[in-house]
């Protein structure tokens, strides 16, 4: 299965597929089975994972160049 990273409007990065998530010191995070969501707003209390804190006012809707 390929890894896909989707930028969600006003929300997190949604990652599907097999990934290892490593911190700045080279330690691996425990990653749940299935898709994961990574915080983009900076407000999550469970960084690097999303906890839906973005719903209180984060706005970002980037688009890829065509």
């Amino acid at each position: 299965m390929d890894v896909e990273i989707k930028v969600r409007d006003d929300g997190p990065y949604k990652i599907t597929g097999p990934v290892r998530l490593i911190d700045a010191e080279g330690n691996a995070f425990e990653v749940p089975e299935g898709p994961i969501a990574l915080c983009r707003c900076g407000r999550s209390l469970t960084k690097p994972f999303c906890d839906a804190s973005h719903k209180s006012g984060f706005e970002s809707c980037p688009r890829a160049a065509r």
Side-chain angles (χ1 to χ4, degrees), residues 29-52:
F29 286 94
E30 293 271 337
V31 178
E33 291 288 323
I36 62 172
L38 296 181
C39 178
R40 286 198 308 139
C41 74
R43 297 181 191 141
S44 176
L45 298 178
T46 59
K47 287 183 194 90
F49 303 101
C50 176
D51 69 358

Side-chain angles (χ1 to χ4, degrees), residues 19-31 48:
V19 296
R20 287 184 61 219
L21 185 57
I22 309 298
D23 69 15
E25 296 177 358
N27 302 304
F29 286 94
E30 293 271 337
V31 178

